[in-house]
Amino acid sequence: MTETPNPNLIDADTLTGEMHPIRRAVLALGSNLGERLASLQGAVNSLADTPDVWVTAVSGVYETEPVGAPAGSDNFLNAVVLLDTTLPASTLLDRALAIEDAFDRERPSEKNAPRTLDVDLIVVGDRRSSDDFLHLPHPRARERAFVLKPWHDLEPDAVLPDAGPVAELLGDVDQGGVKLRDDLTLELDLA
C-alpha cells in the first residue's frame, strides 16, 4: 500500500485554507557508524516531531552486511518507517537530509562510505521524480533486501511503484546478509 488508507482524505491549512492531500510514504533508515541504534531511534523521533508528518509504523531492526561499501565497513542496522504526510516530496527530502545532518552524517566522495545515519525516501504516495535532487520511487529499492524485508514485515501486500509487489521483489534478491535483531527495537510513541 503506497497511499494512506483513505487517499481521499485532505488536510486543510487552518491559516490559508489551502488543501493538501495526505500521502503514504515509506522511508528506509540505516546506520553503520557510532551508536547505530540511537541514531535510528533519533531519526524515528525526529520524523515523528515533524509538522505535517504522522509516523504510523516502524519495522523491526535488521543487521545487514554493507552493500557496495569500502572494505572493512561495519554492518548496518536498518529499519523502515511508514508515515502519512501532507508535505511535498521535496520538503520531506529536505527534512530527511536535515535529520541526517543532525546526526553528523558526512558525505565523502567515496561511494557507499560508512555513515552515522541514512534516511532514504523510498515512496511518497504515487509521486514520481527523476531529477538531480529527488528520485522517486527510490531507483535501487527493488534490489535491496534491507529495504524490502522490513517493508514487507509491515505491509505484506505493499507494491513498489513501477517495480511490482514487494513480496515478489523480495523473492528475487539475496536475503543472506539480512538478519532480524529481536534484541533491538525502535520505539514509536503514538500518543
Side-chain angles (χ1 to χ4, degrees):
M1 172 183 289
T2 57
E3 291 293 333
T4 188
N6 183 351
N8 299 314
L9 287 177
I10 301 213
D11 184 47
D13 184 304
T14 56
L15 295 176
T16 66
E18 186 177 350
M19 305 298 271
H20 303 281
I22 297 175
R23 293 181 183 90
R24 168 61 50 93
V26 178
L27 281 71
L29 309 178
S31 175
N32 74 332
L33 277 181
E35 296 294 325
R36 301 176 303 163
L37 186 63
S39 294
L40 296 184
Q41 185 64 62
V44 170
N45 295 346
S46 296
L47 288 166
D49 286 344
T50 303
D52 301 319
V53 167
W54 301 273
V55 176
T56 59
V58 178
S59 74
V61 177
Y62 282 81
E63 185 151 17
T64 63
E65 296 172 0
V67 176
S73 295
D74 291 333
N75 284 349
F76 275 85
L77 290 183
N78 292 98
V80 163
V81 175
L82 302 182
L83 57 87
D84 291 332
T85 185
T86 57
L87 295 176
S90 59
T91 303
L92 188 58
L93 178 59
D94 287 339
R95 178 65 174 152
L97 294 172
I99 292 169
E100 290 178 349
D101 289 343
F103 285 85
D104 299 321
R105 165 76 188 264
E106 294 182 12
R107 291 178 172 73
S109 60
E110 187 174 21
K111 188 174 171 117
N112 296 322
R115 59 205 76 141
T116 54
L117 184 62
D118 199 16
V119 181
D120 287 337
L121 274 62
I122 305 301
V123 173
V124 180
D126 61 359
R127 176 88 161 79
R128 282 153 176 85
S129 177
S130 60
D131 61 33
D132 290 339
F133 182 65
L134 178 63
H135 296 275
L136 286 172
H138 192 287
R140 291 174 305 283
R142 67 175 18 163
E143 305 161 1
R144 295 180 166 172
F146 61 84
V147 171
L148 298 172
K149 181 64 178 134
W151 186 8
H152 181 264
D153 290 350
L154 293 175
E155 290 186 312
D157 61 343
V159 174
L160 179 62
D162 304 331
V166 169
E168 290 178 18
L169 297 171
L170 188 56
D172 293 339
V173 298
D174 179 9
Q175 300 177 48
V178 179
K179 298 186 181 17
L180 180 63
R181 290 284 306 266
D182 289 325
D183 59 321
L184 303 177
T185 58
L186 296 171
E187 301 296 321
L188 175 59
D189 182 12
L190 293 175

